[in-house]
Amino acid sequence: MTGVLADSQIHEMIGAGRIAATAPFQPGQVQPASLDLRLGDMAYRVRASFLPGRGNTVTDRLDELTMHEVPLTGGAVLEKGCVYVVPLTERLALPDGMTAAASAKSSTGRLDLMTRVITDHGVEFDRVCDGYDGPLYAEICPQSFSVVAQPGQMLTQIIFRHGRTALSDDELRDVHARTPIVSDTPVISEGLGFSVDLRPETGDLVGYRAKRHTGLIDLAKLNHYDPADFWEEVRTTKGRIILDPGAFYILMSREAISIPPDCAAEMAPYVAMAGEFRVHYAGFFDPGFGWAEAGGTGSRGVLEVRCHEAPFVLEHGQVVGRLIYERMAARPALLYGKDLASNYQGQGLKLSKHFRG
């Protein structure tokens, strides 16, 4: 069973009690290669982000660091720049040899809503150790916009790995030879490299920059907000932009990417030597993303970019990240974009589903 668990195998884990929850699982919560995780009904405002560390539970740390409790029932404001910890509805009892990894969902990352999963005795964010048996928590820190959150909302997702799942560069070249995974000549080195698009085929709109002083975003309201109230358009005809320190950008990859049914992928930030910025949130790509037989012709990757201490000139075609392809333990019963409704299949430059247009 080496590989990333597919939807049918996740359902088996639920049936066996390896994945449990305090509320019935919802239709669509199991994705082709991942499980969406739900917020519980209480948020704890804490003084600082933390990892419990070996020998400590999250509850131990909350006893030390909680400033006040924020009930989420009916909707509650999570303020920009503050750190909250929310117990999740789901808990795990992983078998030996199985690990898990979490990531913010696409719409969460595009809101600059930093969301990471932590576990008892955890020493890393978004990583669940081999054989873990215990609860899950989400650390939430809104970066650009204050948000309204409610119980049951799904901000994070989790995948389950058994054995060595990452494809070697030679294995990835073989995949590309069988079914192309990128629209251009692949740049393969510890994964598939991808670059930024600052010369669009039409027009001069290349991205969006988050405004610094905005209203609230209610996470329950979809296709609701005017982008102009929250974002500044980034335009250029020169193939380059200057990133402002501390600013958050939505940009787009130059390459159209495809994930075949026997693979999943995880976006990894590029090495720090590339410059004073990073692709801010890692993310998972389900089998079928951009794949032709799932209704795609390759899909652009949306890049969530934050600049650090110094202004930085970002050039068209500059490599900014890489996709780590992983083998699936089984072919999913449902594919992204073919069998499941998708907001981002065949996407271009696109804000989160909360915005109109």
Side-chain angles (χ1 to χ4, degrees):
M1 197 178 66
T2 298
V4 175
L5 267 60
D7 45 12
S8 60
Q9 296 167 309
I10 295 173
H11 281 297
E12 290 173 2
M13 293 268 288
I14 293 171
R18 295 287 188 179
I19 305 171
T22 57
F25 287 91
Q26 300 297 307
Q29 194 174 344
V30 177
Q31 300 292 311
S34 61
L35 172 71
D36 291 345
L37 301 174
R38 294 169 290 175
L39 299 180
D41 57 9
M42 184 67 70
Y44 298 88
R45 168 75 167 93
V46 294
R47 298 202 305 270
S49 173
F50 66 88
L51 284 166
R54 292 184 177 89
N56 300 299
T57 67
V58 174
T59 299
D60 292 336
R61 293 299 191 210
L62 288 176
D63 289 342
E64 302 169 8
L65 296 171
T66 295
M67 299 170 66
H68 61 266
E69 299 178 359
V70 183
L72 297 184
T73 301
V77 175
L78 304 183
E79 296 187 41
K80 180 173 71 172
C82 298
V83 183
Y84 303 85
V85 173
V86 181
L88 296 172
T89 301
E90 290 72 29
R91 62 175 293 129
L92 303 179
L94 300 182
D96 290 341
M98 184 176 292
T99 62
S103 173
K105 290 172 63 66
S106 295
S107 293
T108 308
R110 295 181 200 202
L111 288 177
D112 199 16
L113 183 57
M114 188 172 73
T115 306
R116 306 185 286 193
V117 167
I118 53 179
T119 66
D120 289 344
H121 318 296
V123 295
E124 294 181 281
F125 291 108
D126 285 336
R127 294 297 182 262
V128 184
C129 66
D130 187 334
Y132 177 76
D133 187 347
L136 300 172
Y137 301 81
E139 179 195 90
I140 302 172
C141 183
Q143 300 285 292
S144 290
F145 313 119
S146 296
V147 301
V148 178
Q150 299 180 32
Q153 289 178 326
M154 304 176 197
L155 305 185
T156 57
Q157 58 191 154
I158 193 166
I159 66 170
F160 302 93
R161 294 171 170 145
H162 198 280
R164 188 185 74 84
T165 63
L167 298 182
S168 69
D169 287 348
D170 287 340
E171 289 170 328
L172 189 53
R173 292 186 186 98
D174 289 342
V175 170
H176 180 72
R178 294 195 306 270
T179 175
I181 58 174
V182 68
S183 55
D184 297 332
T185 301
V187 177
I188 296 177
S189 178
E190 298 183 0
L192 176 69
F194 57 85
S195 60
V196 64
D197 185 7
L198 297 178
R199 291 189 184 276
E201 293 182 3
T202 59
D204 59 357
L205 179 66
V206 298
Y208 298 91
R209 178 173 53 206
K211 291 185 174 181
R212 295 189 182 275
H213 306 288
T214 69
L216 290 169
I217 293 178
D218 188 333
L219 298 177
K221 294 181 177 179
L222 308 183
N223 194 32
H224 178 79
Y225 295 100
D226 183 348
D229 291 337
F230 295 86
W231 301 93
E232 298 171 348
E233 293 182 344
V234 178
R235 297 180 178 272
T236 183
T237 57
K238 298 179 180 180
R240 71 174 66 91
I241 60 174
I242 297 178
L243 302 179
D244 291 327
F248 178 77
Y249 296 82
I250 297 293
L251 304 173
M252 187 172 64
S253 73
R254 184 174 60 89
E255 300 83 3
I257 297 160
S258 175
I259 312 294
D262 56 351
C263 292
E266 181 177 11
M267 184 184 291
Y270 203 50
V271 294
M273 289 85 78
E276 286 297 320
F277 71 95
R278 62 166 285 157
V279 177
H280 195 53
Y281 300 104
F284 297 135
F285 291 74
D286 273 309
F289 179 86
W291 191 56
E293 294 182 32
T297 55
S299 291
R300 303 290 187 95
V302 168
L303 311 178
E304 300 135 3
V305 176
R306 182 175 295 284
C307 186
H308 294 321
E309 288 81 6
F312 186 81
V313 177
L314 191 61
E315 303 275 357
H316 174 74
Q318 185 167 345
V319 175
V320 293
R322 57 197 171 99
L323 277 180
I324 309 300
Y325 278 70
E326 302 181 71
R327 64 177 53 82
M328 294 293 297
R331 182 180 172 122
L334 302 176
L335 290 178
Y336 184 95
K338 178 181 180 183
D339 307 298
L340 298 173
S342 162
N343 290 295
Y344 304 121
Q345 184 76 307
Q347 69 185 352
L349 181 64
K350 187 175 176 66
L351 297 172
S352 79
K353 59 189 178 183
H354 305 88
F355 297 97
R356 298 195 297 267

